[in-house]
């Protein structure tokens, strides 16, 4: 019992039966994304989307920054959990994905809460700092190209307010972080950011061995 429970298909169905509250819009978005090339592997699990929404509601944040939109499943989950005057800035390199996402956001009546920034995320984060958004976000969700995670982390730490949360996805990277043979740029980026967070006196950290690894970081 001291070790993590292995989650197979039957146990996952049990978890979803007793916990998941995925409505028809979210379910349709997940199904549509799964039909895209590489869509199923790039989309957050439904449980993770619900977890993000739970964090937003529990912490009462009003300003969210998301690095990596894809087809907008996590965006939709978090935007719905915002208070009426809340807002979410999401960064995506491809307009193709945000066009798909926007239709579902409109149907869920949260499109007006979402500010889409298309382009290289590092450039967008620098622009937000130039706009005076230093320390203005309550929560930052990072789920984009893994090679740039160290840069995203440092910029996000400047954009999040003291006491705010950073949530980093894929920090175990399907186990490649402990595979000596994995020397690609994505794995190197995740290893670097994990080590940087571990040794960072500016933050509190909790790495969770769920999904593909989720790391919660609180700026002190």
């Amino acid at each position: 019992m001291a070790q993590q429970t292995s989650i197979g298909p039957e146990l996952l169905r049990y978890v979803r039966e007793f916990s998941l509250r995925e409505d028809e819009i979210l379910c349709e978005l997940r199904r549509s994304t799964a039909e895209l090339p590489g869509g199923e592997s790039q989309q957050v699990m439904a449980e993770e989307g619900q977890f993000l929404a739970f964090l937003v509601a529990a912490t009462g944040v009003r300003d969210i920054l998301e690095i990596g939109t894809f087809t907008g499943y996590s965006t939709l989950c978090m935007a719905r959990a915002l208070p009426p005057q809340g807002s979410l800035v999401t960064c995506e390199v491809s307009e193709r994905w945000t066009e798909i996402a926007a239709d579902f956001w409109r149907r869920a009546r949260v499109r007006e809460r979402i500010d889409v920034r298309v382009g290289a995320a590092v450039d967008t984060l620098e622009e937000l700092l130039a706009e005076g958004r230093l320390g203005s976000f309550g929560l930052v969700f990072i789920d984009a190209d893994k090679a740039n995670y160290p840069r995203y982390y440092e910029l996000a730490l400047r954009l999040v307010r003291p006491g705010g949360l950073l949530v980093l996805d894929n920090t175990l990277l399907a186990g490649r972080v402990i595979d000596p043979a994995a020397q690609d740029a994505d794995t190197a980026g995740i290893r670097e950011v994990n080590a940087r967070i571990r040794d960072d006196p500016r933050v509190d950290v909790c790495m969770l061995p769920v999904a593909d690894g989720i790391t919660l970081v609180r700026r002190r």
Side-chain angles (χ1 to χ4, degrees):
M1 292 300 291
Q3 302 300 316
Q4 185 178 358
T5 301
S6 177
I7 304 293
E10 291 184 1
L11 192 53
L12 181 58
R13 281 194 294 271
Y14 179 90
V15 170
R16 291 181 170 174
E17 178 184 352
F18 285 90
S19 173
L20 186 61
R21 296 180 176 180
E22 186 182 51
D23 68 6
E24 184 55 37
I25 294 177
L26 284 171
C27 190
E28 184 180 341
L29 175 53
R30 185 157 58 90
R31 288 196 302 262
S32 298
T33 301
E35 295 173 358
L36 298 170
E40 192 167 12
S41 63
Q42 293 186 64
Q43 183 171 234
V44 299
M45 290 180 66
E47 292 76 17
E48 186 174 356
Q50 186 165 305
F51 175 63
L52 290 167
F54 187 95
L55 284 178
V56 172
T59 57
V61 300
R62 302 176 64 88
D63 298 279
I64 299 170
L65 171 61
E66 179 181 50
I67 305 170
T69 315
F70 194 38
T71 57
Y73 188 98
S74 55
T75 321
L76 176 51
C77 289
M78 291 187 290
R80 277 179 159 177
L82 280 167
Q85 302 306 314
S87 63
L88 187 157
V89 176
T90 187
C91 312
E92 174 56 49
V93 72
S94 173
E95 195 168 3
R96 174 191 178 190
W97 305 131
T98 59
E99 288 176 351
I100 294 172
D103 178 55
F104 288 90
W105 299 339
R106 279 190 290 267
R107 289 170 54 191
R109 300 182 180 179
V110 294
R111 179 64 186 88
E112 68 282 357
R113 300 181 183 181
I114 301 168
D115 176 7
V116 180
R117 307 287 184 103
V118 178
V122 168
D123 294 340
T124 299
L125 300 181
E126 294 282 9
E127 290 167 3
L128 288 169
L129 288 168
E131 292 170 11
R133 300 300 301 270
L134 181 73
S136 67
F137 293 95
L139 185 147
V140 181
F141 178 49
I142 304 176
D143 184 19
D145 56 300
K146 313 312 171 192
N148 272 316
Y149 264 40
R151 299 178 73 187
Y152 297 150
Y153 172 70
E154 291 297 338
L155 289 166
L157 204 57
R158 297 173 63 192
L159 287 159
V160 74
R161 66 175 58 96
L165 290 178
L166 274 60
V167 183
L168 293 83
D169 199 15
N170 305 114
T171 49
L172 296 180
L173 208 58
R176 280 155 47 195
V177 289
I178 60 170
D179 181 359
Q183 298 297 327
D184 57 282
D186 285 345
T187 305
I190 293 295
R191 287 181 181 136
E192 180 180 342
V193 80
N194 287 344
R196 188 173 299 193
I197 294 169
R198 177 196 62 194
D199 300 332
D200 195 341
R202 300 170 295 177
V203 303
D204 299 313
V205 59
C206 180
M207 180 184 285
L208 302 173
V210 296
D212 193 27
I214 302 171
T215 298
L216 304 179
V217 176
R218 177 183 176 272
R219 180 184 168 191
R220 290 179 174 174

